[in-house]
Amino acid sequence: MKFINALILVLIISVFAFGQQETGVAAQDFSVLTLDGKTFELNQTKGKVTVLTFWSTKCQICAAEIPKLNKLADKYDGEKVAFIGLTMNNAQLVNDYLKKKPFNFTLIPNSLGVVLKYADRDSQGRLLMGYPAHYVINQEGNVVLKTSGFKKSEKIDETIEKLLK
């Protein structure tokens, strides 16, 4: 009976731990197609600071943050910094959205698989990810900042500056 209880406990803990990307540990790798049809693998960015931004075409906060993130992408253009925008929206929705709100960095549509790797979970295993969600990954591939919501570009900028020094 103790064995069965222990096994159940391990399974429950595993379900809640699965998919949660924490700071201070290696970022979970993924391989996906970008909006322009190229293969992107996170491990290709090792040696660079990488900013992952999870967003949605229906998110008003995301829309307000895009110009700030574009400024950061422009500021670090030519530096060893990669900006990646991931959305669960399909390519057609993203292309339509870009006509009104352009991005200055790599976009990845249909990214549910990546969201499953990075999102937190509640006590019942449901996904928890506020949009926009940002993960800053250092040159060694470890997550050093995990944040979400409004007005995070300043914190992202400070983190990038520290990592580039």
Side-chain angles (χ1 to χ4, degrees):
M1 188 63 158
K2 286 183 180 180
F3 175 76
I4 292 173
N5 287 339
L7 183 61
I8 290 171
L9 181 62
V10 167
L11 288 173
I12 290 171
I13 292 170
S14 297
V15 167
F16 295 125
F18 177 75
Q20 296 184 355
Q21 181 64 66
E22 297 298 328
T23 58
V25 297
Q28 294 188 50
D29 195 21
F30 57 87
S31 179
V32 291
L33 290 178
T34 64
L35 189 59
D36 57 4
K38 297 178 183 170
T39 299
F40 173 83
E41 294 180 13
L42 183 62
N43 67 12
Q44 294 170 335
T45 64
K46 276 207 177 158
K48 295 181 180 182
V49 174
T50 304
V51 179
L52 300 181
T53 296
F54 293 87
W55 67 284
S56 171
T57 59
K58 295 181 187 269
C59 169
Q60 294 304 313
I61 296 172
C62 300
E65 291 294 294
I66 291 168
K68 297 172 190 169
L69 293 171
N70 282 339
K71 284 182 184 175
L72 284 180
D74 290 343
K75 175 180 177 179
Y76 293 107
D77 187 33
E79 299 281 335
K80 291 198 169 224
V81 182
F83 286 84
I84 313 298
L86 299 110
T87 180
M88 292 189 292
N89 298 124
N90 67 44
Q92 183 60 52
L93 276 173
V94 174
N95 279 320
D96 290 345
Y97 188 82
L98 292 175
K99 292 173 186 172
K100 296 176 268 179
K101 290 274 186 189
F103 275 78
N104 294 351
F105 46 96
T106 303
L107 292 177
I108 300 171
N110 305 312
S111 61
L112 175 61
V114 183
V115 169
L116 292 174
K117 287 183 175 197
Y118 279 76
D120 289 334
R121 310 261 178 168
D122 70 9
S123 61
Q124 276 115 24
R126 294 179 295 228
L127 294 178
L128 296 174
M129 182 179 273
Y131 283 136
H134 310 283
Y135 295 79
V136 178
I137 302 166
N138 68 13
Q139 296 91 328
E140 291 78 38
N142 297 316
V143 177
V144 296
L145 177 67
K146 175 181 173 181
T147 187
S148 65
F150 194 59
K151 293 187 177 183
K152 302 300 181 188
S153 59
E154 236 178 76
K155 182 68 175 166
I156 294 167
D157 190 21
E158 290 170 11
T159 303
I160 294 169
E161 287 285 336
K162 287 179 189 173
L163 292 171
L164 290 177
K165 287 184 180 181

